[in-house]
Amino acid sequence: MNREKRIEIFTRLRDNNPNPTTELNYSTPFELLIAVILSAQATDVGVNKATDKLYPVANTPASIFALGVDGLKEYIKTIGLFNSKAENVIKTCQLLLEKHGGEVPDNREDLEALPGVGRKTANVVLNTAFGQPAMAVDTHIFRVSNRTGIAPGKNVLEVEKRLMRLVPREFLLDAHHWLILHGRYVCTARKPRCGACPIEDLCEFKQKRDYQ
């Protein structure tokens, strides 16, 4: 795929959604960090249901840490892997209080040192909370990048690095959100809605379907 085609793809995605953002509910970098930790192998809808009850009660490192593991579990027990997630969140809150003055760090090294925070979570926080160009490659972005030909790669890290290199700079800040939403609602796993796709004529997928 050449640069001109990529520019046109992201121009259309931007025209359709000029101000994309995460579907996780949050109002501070800390709330976003916790929501993203909780979202591993869970839906944004499921996480929002839990945090909509949790955050009015506790939405700072100190207040969530005060709940303790068992107290936190009561709020997040509807989310998959809630036992390990509760332990990670409490440990993360403790580290934020002890090492970062209760603030979420805005750099990859410190973020990835937090329990439950891997590269993908760090990328979401850096991009969405701090406005840094970053690409959090999940299953949707991995699928869209490979299927369309925008940035094919054999693994998540390879796709991330190619996207960072190949996405035109003017689109880089929001590309993560455009790609994930496109994969979630249009370029779906089993039945891609090619007939309703705004970039169908630019996509290099060889098995296009007419699903609307």
Side-chain angles (χ1 to χ4, degrees):
M1 181 177 288
N2 60 37
R3 175 176 170 78
E4 288 69 29
K5 190 179 281 190
R6 288 192 185 89
I7 290 174
E8 180 60 24
I9 284 173
F10 283 102
T11 297
R12 292 187 193 179
L13 293 177
R14 181 176 62 187
D15 289 345
N16 277 358
N17 187 1
N19 300 295
T21 189
T22 179
E23 293 185 318
L24 291 168
N25 296 338
Y26 77 99
S27 58
T28 65
F30 175 73
E31 288 187 359
L32 177 65
L33 172 65
I34 299 307
V36 180
I37 292 174
L38 296 177
S39 71
Q41 298 182 45
T43 65
D44 288 358
V45 172
V47 172
N48 288 338
K49 286 180 180 178
T51 57
D52 285 350
K53 294 177 181 177
L54 171 64
Y55 289 160
V57 176
N59 69 339
T60 65
S63 57
I64 289 183
F65 184 69
L67 290 175
V69 172
D70 290 337
L72 178 58
K73 284 181 184 179
E74 287 302 308
Y75 291 95
I76 67 170
K77 60 187 177 183
T78 55
I79 300 173
L81 307 176
F82 72 93
N83 285 310
S84 59
K85 289 176 181 178
E87 292 181 6
N88 283 334
V89 167
I90 294 300
K91 289 177 183 174
T92 282
C93 290
Q94 185 176 8
L95 273 178
L96 291 176
L97 292 166
E98 291 177 352
K99 293 190 174 182
H100 303 285
E103 299 294 324
V104 176
D106 61 358
N107 65 86
R108 179 183 304 283
E109 183 180 1
D110 287 338
L111 282 169
E112 289 189 14
L114 299 171
V117 177
R119 186 178 183 89
K120 184 174 74 172
T121 296
N123 281 341
V124 173
V125 174
L126 291 171
N127 179 260
T128 306
F130 297 115
Q132 298 181 23
M135 205 68 64
V137 179
D138 67 350
T139 55
H140 297 300
I141 295 179
F142 185 79
R143 179 176 66 254
V144 171
S145 298
N146 276 286
R147 185 183 274 167
T148 60
I150 291 173
K154 295 177 182 177
N155 55 57
V156 168
L157 186 58
E158 194 173 306
V159 168
E160 177 191 329
K161 289 182 175 179
R162 283 195 174 178
L163 284 169
M164 293 299 293
R165 188 175 82 249
L166 295 172
V167 173
R169 183 158 295 278
E170 67 176 295
F171 304 107
L172 201 52
L173 187 60
D174 290 322
H176 158 254
H177 293 302
W178 285 319
L179 291 173
I180 194 171
L181 293 170
H182 188 68
R184 187 173 287 168
Y185 297 111
V186 181
C187 194
T188 51
R190 294 185 180 178
K191 289 187 176 182
R193 299 173 55 229
C194 301
C197 177
I199 61 169
E200 181 185 7
D201 57 315
L202 302 167
C203 170
E204 296 181 355
F205 184 44
K206 291 183 173 59
Q207 298 167 292
K208 291 176 184 172
R209 299 171 174 87
D210 291 327
Y211 296 125
Q212 295 288 325

